[in-house]
Amino acid sequence: MRVSTAEVMDCLEQIRLVDMLDERQFNAVLRANFAKSRREQRRFDHLYHLFFHELQVTETAGDAGSLETPIDGIRNRIRATADDQLELAAISDFLAGEPAAYLQLLQQIQSEGDSRRQGPGSNLGALVRRFPVLRALDRAAELADHYLADHRDEIHWETRRQVQRHLERRLAVARRLLVREEAGDTGVIRREDTAGDRQGELGNLAFNALTPSETTRMRETIAQLVRKLKDTVGLRYAVRSRGVLDVKRTLRQSARYQGVPVQIVFRKKPPRKARIAVLCDISGSVWSSARFMLNMLYSLQECFDRVRSFVFVAEVAEVTRFFDDHEVARAIENILTEAGINYGASTDYGLTLRQFCRRYLDAVNKKTTVIVIGDGRSNYANPEGQLLEDIRDRCRRLVWLNPETEQFWYTGDSEMRTYQGICNEVRPCRNLNQLAAFIKDLVL
């Protein structure tokens, strides 16, 4: 977490005003000073529990001295067997009460270190990467048992029992940290109530289930929605164009009329238009949702300062020029034939994010709303969550639209659990009602 020196000083001043032995008060002071957003509150709670509860050695001070020698012996036995196995070396430190190396190992497992493999399907997911550590934990437990058995006559039976309890607790914590899946931030998921049937029966039909005739009707319905939104936006901008009331200047002008505010003065402030950057997965059924999304965005592009569009399967390409040169419907059709994308490749979100950050990161700034349209299925490739987090920190807002049924978001090769915790907002986007609700919130 990013914590400044000033925040640490404020926390130290406030700590003096509470009872530090009351954990609720202690936790509240730290949380108020260090967690500055909802996402950081979740991260703070996780780190607080990890540091003050999970990683604490529970032996008393009186026991610590008697346990130090056998624990150091076990640590040396495991290290002597480790050779070049980083897992065993990190576990030996963890059992001795030094968790830094083990935590770093878990972080590398989650992000696959600094690897930048360029092909699709470059790894088998975080689950498979945990197996060597699980085997190392079992091996460490076996070596510890052998050490205690070899030194049975040298270690008092009561000390040996305390060492065994200590090792069991530390190994249990190590396994729990390894296999625990951090829950996604469900607070970022927006669910729209479609019970009102806003667009009639057509509004509830999934995009990937539309017949050709229903697709034609869908385009007509979208055109009507676009016209209504343009009218609403025009009225809103007309009201905003006059600015807000300038109280000081109004009072100065009223001096001419004996204090009566006959002449109202407004601050001239033009309405701010957002910039949009859209990353669309164009593989399979995802494209059926993405094309309608692009249709609405570019039909409403005068409501935005700039709209830039990117499509990807395994690699990413910018397709903004198609919309600059052609009418919206024609541009969408040309994307599938002229964008230079290998549509037969396996989807790789990690490779897409790497290429986007290397080539197109200049498209993102603090005025940009980044919209990702995809199901998050990366074929067990590295999801590169850190790169998506870098994009989120650089942009105004990061929104993920998922056209897949919600019950399948966290199954198989889906990385939605990783991406959901990073995005400012996650929405299902399977039909016109959900898409129209999002566009309305985006524009208005």
Side-chain angles (χ1 to χ4, degrees):
M1 294 185 66
R2 297 178 180 179
V3 180
S4 68
T5 303
E7 289 166 344
V8 174
M9 298 298 293
D10 290 342
C11 184
L12 292 175
E13 290 293 330
Q14 295 163 19
I15 281 289
R16 300 175 182 177
L17 306 177
V18 302
D19 181 7
M20 287 184 59
L21 298 182
D22 185 341
E23 187 175 3
R24 290 189 304 168
Q25 297 183 38
F26 178 75
N27 177 283
V29 172
L30 268 62
R31 199 172 194 259
N33 281 279
F34 299 155
K36 297 171 282 293
S37 67
R38 181 175 59 187
R39 180 176 289 103
E40 289 192 352
Q41 287 175 355
R42 292 183 58 251
R43 184 174 296 174
F44 172 83
D45 292 339
H46 171 66
L47 293 177
Y48 179 91
H49 180 74
L50 181 68
F51 183 80
F52 287 105
H53 296 280
E54 292 278 8
L55 300 181
Q56 290 306 298
V57 181
T58 56
E59 281 71 36
T60 64
D63 296 331
S66 61
L67 299 184
E68 183 175 350
T69 301
I71 289 177
D72 284 344
I74 293 173
R75 180 183 186 178
N76 294 333
R77 171 71 67 88
I78 296 175
R79 276 188 168 277
T81 313
D83 296 329
D84 294 331
Q85 296 184 44
L86 296 178
E87 295 89 354
L88 274 177
I91 290 169
S92 68
D93 292 343
F94 188 85
L95 295 180
E98 300 175 11
Y102 186 71
L103 294 178
Q104 186 177 7
L105 177 64
L106 297 184
Q107 185 178 10
Q108 290 175 352
I109 289 174
Q110 185 63 30
S111 61
E112 202 183 23
D114 296 326
S115 66
R116 292 292 182 266
R117 299 173 183 171
Q118 299 299 316
S122 58
N123 66 358
L124 295 177
L127 180 62
V128 175
R129 296 196 297 273
R130 295 187 183 110
F131 287 161
V133 185
L134 284 172
R135 290 197 299 268
L137 285 170
D138 292 338
R139 178 61 176 161
E142 182 180 348
L143 291 172
D145 290 339
H146 288 167
Y147 179 88
L148 293 176
D150 294 342
H151 296 78
R152 178 181 296 272
D153 298 333
E154 303 172 16
I155 303 175
H156 190 271
W157 68 269
E158 189 173 356
T159 302
R160 188 168 61 250
R161 185 174 62 181
Q162 291 176 354
V163 170
Q164 289 174 337
R165 289 176 180 174
H166 169 84
L167 294 174
E168 289 173 0
R169 280 192 291 265
R170 300 298 287 179
L171 287 170
V173 170
R175 289 191 177 95
R176 188 160 59 248
L177 292 175
L178 177 66
V179 303
R180 179 172 56 194
E181 287 283 356
E182 191 171 347
D185 187 359
T186 57
V188 303
I189 301 179
R190 285 286 296 273
R191 296 179 174 85
E192 297 298 330
D193 181 14
T194 58
D197 202 22
R198 291 184 292 272
Q199 318 304 333
E201 195 173 313
L202 189 65
N204 288 322
L205 293 177
F207 288 127
N208 60 356
L210 295 175
T211 64
S213 62
E214 289 170 341
T215 302
T216 302
R217 288 172 52 205
M218 182 75 73
R219 291 198 182 102
E220 295 172 355
T221 304
I222 287 176
Q224 295 175 4
L225 287 171
V226 167
R227 285 195 294 272
K228 291 180 181 178
L229 282 173
K230 283 183 177 179
D231 292 342
T232 304
V233 171
L235 290 173
R236 186 189 69 171
Y237 283 176
V239 172
R240 281 192 177 181
S241 62
R242 70 186 183 193
V244 298
L245 177 65
D246 191 331
V247 177
K248 292 182 179 180
R249 293 181 62 191
T250 299
L251 291 177
R252 282 199 297 267
Q253 293 290 342
S254 68
R256 300 179 182 181
Y257 310 101
Q258 297 180 349
V260 179
V262 174
Q263 185 176 355
I264 307 299
V265 182
F266 295 93
R267 294 173 183 162
K268 299 298 182 182
K269 184 179 180 181
R272 185 179 70 174
K273 295 183 179 181
R275 296 181 180 181
I276 306 294
V278 191
L279 279 81
C280 295
D281 183 352
I282 57 175
S283 62
S285 61
V286 180
W287 172 240
S288 61
S289 302
R291 61 178 177 174
F292 289 114
M293 174 70 182
L294 291 173
N295 193 326
M296 296 188 75
L297 279 179
Y298 276 92
S299 298
L300 290 164
Q301 63 177 323
E302 61 264 32
C303 300
F304 308 108
D305 184 43
R306 177 66 167 154
V307 179
R308 293 184 66 175
S309 299
F310 306 87
V311 297
F312 67 91
V313 177
E315 49 188 343
V316 65
E318 183 171 6
V319 294
T320 309
R321 58 185 174 86
F322 289 97
F323 296 96
D324 293 338
D325 299 339
H326 304 285
E327 182 268 334
V328 175
R330 176 69 181 276
I332 291 175
E333 296 301 325
N334 289 349
I335 286 174
L336 289 177
T337 57
E338 303 177 20
I341 294 291
N342 181 9
Y343 301 100
S346 299
T347 309
D348 189 340
Y349 280 76
L351 178 59
T352 296
L353 292 172
R354 291 196 294 271
Q355 291 187 354
F356 181 83
C357 290
R358 187 168 60 249
R359 301 175 185 174
Y360 306 113
L361 201 57
D362 61 320
V364 180
N365 57 35
K366 284 302 181 181
K367 295 182 179 180
T368 307
T369 297
V370 178
I371 304 169
V372 182
I373 308 173
D375 56 10
R377 296 196 173 274
S378 195
N379 290 289
Y380 298 102
N382 185 0
E384 297 288 8
Q386 182 59 51
L387 294 181
L388 186 65
E389 193 166 342
D390 293 341
I391 294 173
R392 184 207 66 207
D393 293 340
R394 187 182 176 93
C395 71
R396 178 188 177 192
R397 189 162 165 250
L398 175 61
V399 182
W400 192 293
L401 303 181
N402 194 327
E404 192 175 41
T405 305
E406 287 183 67
Q407 67 189 60
F408 300 121
W409 282 11
Y410 312 121
T411 62
D413 60 347
S414 175
E415 296 290 347
M416 282 307 298
R417 189 184 302 277
T418 299
Y419 296 140
Q420 178 179 309
I422 299 172
C423 296
N424 297 107
E425 184 178 330
V426 177
R427 286 180 179 245
C429 185
R430 300 186 63 246
N431 55 48
L432 181 58
N433 281 343
Q434 294 172 341
L435 177 58
F438 169 70
I439 291 293
K440 184 176 179 181
D441 290 346
L442 182 67
V443 173
L444 302 180

